[in-house]
Amino acid sequence: MSAATIALLGQPNSGKSTLFNALTGMRQHVGNWPGKTVEKKEGSFAHDGKTYEVADLPGSYSMSANSDEEVITRDYITSGKADVVCILADSSQLERSLFMLADYAGIDAPCFLVLNMEDVAKDQGKIVNVKALEDKLGIPVMQFSATDTKAYDQFYTTLERALKRKSHIKVDNLEKEYEKIEGYNEIKSQIADGTVKGYTPMWLTVKYLENDKVVSAELKDKIPADKMTKIESIERRSGAIATGECKFKWIDELLDGAVNKTKTDVKLGKLDRIYTNRFWGKPAVVLTVILGLLGSFIPALPIMAAASIVDIIRDAVAGALTSAGCAPFLMGLICDVFIQSFGYIIKMLGFVFGVTLVFGLLEEVGVMARISYVFDNTMGKLGLQGKSVMPFLVSFGCTIGGAAGARVIDSWGQKVLTIALAWAVPCGAAWAIVPMLSTVFFGMGAPVVIIALLLVMILHMWITAKIFGAKLVKTEERCGMIMELPPYHKPKWGALFRYVFRTHQGYILQSA
Amino acid sequence: MSLSEVGENKEAVISNVSGDSRFMSRITSIGLTPGSKIRVIKNDKNRPVLVYSKDTMIALNRNECNGISVEEVRA
């Protein structure tokens, strides 16, 4: 029996996975949310003789209902399964990253705030007065760097405090801002306490003003018709913009006096100047992926070398079977089919392991976001995101490597579509015979044949994208890139190896 | 003017944001609301626009930029 359940909530790049991995280590399991193609990550950890359950809520930008991820997150929080919600924010970008907290304010589940990436903020000269924030917010607040394994005592004590206090965010000042919005008071007066379980009337009113489909439907369902007509007579012109302005105003007030003002000079680093260069950006990305592909052989080689032991076993078994007078057919079955293919499996495993490690590293460090930026326009034509270029390039080496690399794409539909398209890219083995065979059959016409093959490949990808794209990546969910380019991070080797090991447990067990 | 018309290294203030509710909530959550000060870092054809706002580097698809009107700040 666990002592408590904690839910982790944070925008992408808030360090949520780092915290989740550091807390749970190997004690985690990954599945799917029922009926949804959204990954469900849960785990547990022990501290002071007590066991805690941790739920890593799907990555989302706010508490609105624009994606499956966000609906799942909301439902989970109000289900009461979590005793406390841990909201993460990036200390170096508080002004923006506290948005999740502001959007959460008014939800009826106890929470506490973790200001992550203390180290980055300190490097920029930003000092946060945690105590002042705590007083203003009325919930436990702490600051640390989730990558610093020695800093976790503070996390545990804050967690204990949050579990004991079960406090909610003070919303008075935020509501004062909301009250200035036209129609806010009129709508709110029609919503009684407890209309929708887990949310305050303030929160519901704000989401209704934002045209939140789920909340609007729920209100229609729960509120008496006459009151609902009154609500619906009020025009929702300003939408998310007006409420968003309120939230950011509230954040500014919060930070006023709690954070020293610094003027950071914005300049692109050397590497970013290359990646964002109009001419060199694409070649630089292609080069990065090729280097990554070559680099993946470094961790892969030991495993591939180990696979040659299988050959020795095969020869030994073959020798033993021959002397035992085994039928050649049976011998072929045992040696060439069973044992040999086991060797292939290990070799492939080594390669996939290498690809997962290296491209996981590129993601962690922040390079993948740049790749997304450079190829956003091109890949957008196929209904994909910029990151999809990476699996395609890897597929020129090996299709399985490309499919494994598709792991870094965060939307399920785009991931599947990328894999479906990557299959059209001829792999290294095909390239080894394509020039030879085309010369044998077509002589001087070989280059034309090769170019034709590439054109067919593009045509194939285009048709596949047309047929399956609409189903996998819904048009209304196709959203042009609105993405943060995070600063480069130092890789966390421990977490990365654990990630790679976990994703391979399945393969190893299946092939064994 | 639209955000995509702002030149590199120019500063501007967002005056209005328009689009469907999905876009509005997404753009709000990344901190680009009316009144926000922004600085365009990179603005090349066929590439997303790179914008710096609220201590964050943000890449924005060019089509999405059409929904964001700004007023340039004259230095």
Side-chain angles (χ1 to χ4, degrees):
Chain A
M1 188 57 205
S2 69
T5 301
I6 310 146
L8 305 182
L9 176 71
Q11 289 191 337
N13 297 315
S14 60
K16 193 163 59 79
S17 340
T18 314
L19 175 62
F20 179 73
N21 287 331
L23 283 175
T24 58
M26 301 297 286
R27 296 169 69 174
Q28 43 180 273
H29 41 100
V30 179
N32 268 358
W33 293 90
K36 294 275 162 48
T37 47
V38 176
E39 204 175 61
K40 181 180 191 176
K41 278 166 82 184
E42 287 174 315
S44 63
F45 66 91
H47 181 72
D48 248 0
K50 281 180 278 187
T51 314
Y52 299 84
E53 302 288 329
V54 192
D56 187 3
L57 296 174
S60 54
Y61 290 91
S62 64
M63 298 301 295
S64 39
N66 289 316
S67 61
D68 279 352
E69 281 85 351
E70 288 172 345
V71 174
I72 288 169
T73 296
R74 232 155 73 167
D75 289 349
Y76 184 89
I77 288 171
T78 50
S79 70
K81 278 183 203 130
D83 296 288
V84 69
V85 177
C86 167
I87 304 173
L88 281 130
D90 179 343
S91 305
S92 67
Q93 310 175 334
L94 282 178
E95 230 189 302
R96 181 188 60 85
S97 67
L98 282 179
F99 183 82
M100 186 60 106
L101 180 91
D103 211 22
Y104 183 94
I107 291 182
D108 217 5
C111 61
F112 68 106
L113 175 67
V114 170
L115 307 175
N116 195 8
M117 313 198 189
E118 186 180 21
D119 47 349
V120 184
K122 284 235 167 90
D123 284 345
Q124 296 175 357
K126 288 188 186 112
I127 298 153
V128 185
N129 185 342
V130 176
K131 187 77 190 46
L133 275 182
E134 195 165 302
D135 290 341
K136 285 184 184 179
L137 284 169
I139 54 165
V141 180
M142 60 166 284
Q143 189 187 25
F144 83 147
S145 300
T147 45
D148 179 7
T149 41
K150 293 179 210 92
Y152 275 77
D153 278 342
Q154 198 198 346
F155 179 84
Y156 297 127
T157 45
T158 316
L159 171 64
E160 278 307 320
R161 212 145 50 89
L163 284 169
K164 221 174 269 162
R165 280 174 47 185
K166 301 240 173 231
S167 43
H168 298 80
I169 303 166
K170 276 190 213 161
V171 295
D172 314 350
N173 288 335
L174 180 61
E175 180 148 34
K176 264 183 213 144
E177 296 295 335
Y178 287 148
E179 279 165 2
K180 293 177 196 158
I181 301 176
E182 213 185 307
Y184 173 85
N185 286 321
E186 289 86 333
I187 296 173
K188 198 191 151 207
S189 63
Q190 305 299 330
I191 303 173
D193 277 325
T195 303
V196 183
K197 196 186 141 261
Y199 305 109
T200 58
M202 176 193 95
W203 194 88
L204 291 170
T205 310
V206 169
K207 284 295 156 208
Y208 179 80
L209 282 168
E210 291 172 7
N211 281 310
D212 186 294
K213 286 196 190 82
V214 179
V215 165
S216 303
E218 202 133 14
L219 287 181
K220 216 176 170 130
D221 190 43
K222 301 257 165 72
I223 288 179
D226 57 317
K227 288 192 169 182
M228 199 58 211
T229 343
K230 268 189 200 150
I231 291 180
E232 281 170 343
S233 69
I234 297 157
E235 224 186 318
R236 294 179 279 184
R237 255 176 310 166
S238 43
I241 295 301
T243 57
E245 276 181 272
C246 295
K247 287 168 201 165
F248 281 111
K249 215 178 230 172
W250 179 69
I251 293 171
D252 283 344
E253 275 170 29
L254 273 181
L255 295 178
D256 188 36
V259 182
N260 63 330
K261 286 239 164 40
T262 52
K263 185 87 186 132
T264 33
D265 197 22
V266 252
K267 257 198 193 137
L268 289 175
K270 225 184 226 162
L271 198 55
D272 276 342
R273 279 210 297 275
I274 301 173
Y275 279 132
T276 58
N277 187 289
R278 207 173 342 160
F279 304 106
W280 298 109
K282 283 187 182 178
V285 164
V286 173
L287 187 71
T288 308
V289 175
I290 290 173
L291 287 179
L293 189 59
L294 292 177
S296 20
F297 279 97
I298 299 170
L301 278 176
I303 301 173
M304 291 175 143
S308 45
I309 297 172
V310 175
D311 292 340
I312 302 170
I313 297 172
R314 186 199 58 196
D315 293 343
V317 172
L321 287 176
T322 323
S323 52
C326 176
F329 161 73
L330 197 62
M331 202 170 85
L333 189 71
I334 294 171
C335 295
D336 294 338
V337 178
F338 286 121
I339 302 180
Q340 183 85 49
S341 47
F342 189 64
Y344 287 143
I345 290 173
I346 296 177
K347 276 182 192 154
M348 214 60 238
L349 184 75
F351 179 65
V352 173
F353 168 79
V355 168
T356 317
L357 182 74
V358 169
F359 290 96
L361 180 73
L362 288 182
E363 170 88 34
E364 170 118 357
V365 172
V367 171
M368 213 50 88
R370 275 75 186 172
I371 295 181
S372 260
Y373 162 80
V374 176
F375 277 92
D376 176 63
N377 241 353
T378 320
M379 290 294 125
K381 288 178 187 135
L382 293 170
L384 297 172
Q385 48 173 292
K387 276 182 198 176
S388 305
V389 75
M390 185 273 294
F392 292 157
L393 289 172
V394 172
S395 294
F396 276 109
C398 169
T399 313
I400 294 183
R407 200 179 282 281
V408 293
I409 298 167
D410 23 40
S411 126
W412 180 85
Q414 287 182 326
K415 198 185 308 188
V416 173
L417 187 58
T418 305
I419 295 172
L421 297 185
W423 177 81
V425 179
C427 76
W431 285 119
I433 55 162
V434 163
M436 190 198 55
L437 286 184
S438 34
T439 324
V440 168
F441 286 106
F442 302 99
M444 293 300 281
V448 182
V449 174
I450 294 174
I451 291 169
L453 275 175
L454 279 174
L455 288 178
V456 170
M457 167 193 116
I458 292 168
L459 186 72
H460 178 120
M461 290 170 92
W462 184 77
I463 293 174
T464 312
K466 280 280 162 275
I467 296 175
F468 297 104
K471 259 273 163 55
L472 287 170
V473 191
K474 294 189 196 99
T475 345
E476 70 265 20
E477 279 176 22
R478 283 186 194 196
C479 187
M481 173 155 75
I482 304 172
M483 185 190 73
E484 185 205 345
L485 278 196
Y488 290 108
H489 295 293
K490 275 185 218 120
K492 273 269 296 170
W493 294 104
L496 190 65
F497 274 109
R498 273 200 299 270
Y499 159 74
V500 173
F501 183 79
R502 261 195 326 275
T503 56
H504 284 78
Q505 270 175 325
Y507 295 123
I508 297 166
L509 292 178
Q510 271 167 28
S511 48
Chain B
M1 67 198 285
S2 152
L3 176 61
S4 53
E5 295 165 51
V6 181
E8 269 170 35
N9 290 316
K10 289 268 163 55
E11 290 190 8
V13 174
I14 297 182
S15 52
N16 192 30
V17 182
S18 58
D20 60 7
S21 60
R22 193 186 159 74
F23 169 73
M24 300 280 255
S25 102
R26 183 75 191 80
I27 205 82
T28 307
S29 69
I30 207 150
L32 297 178
T33 45
S36 303
K37 269 190 222 128
I38 56 143
R39 188 190 180 91
V40 172
I41 301 296
K42 203 88 188 159
N43 191 352
D44 288 326
K45 252 190 209 159
N46 299 324
R47 286 285 172 79
V49 181
L50 270 190
V51 166
Y52 194 81
S53 168
K54 292 194 166 73
D55 292 337
T56 313
M57 189 76 79
I58 300 162
L60 285 172
N61 181 290
R62 301 196 81 80
N63 290 334
E64 311 293 327
C65 284
N66 291 335
I68 306 174
S69 356
V70 299
E71 267 161 43
E72 215 170 288
V73 177
R74 290 184 199 284

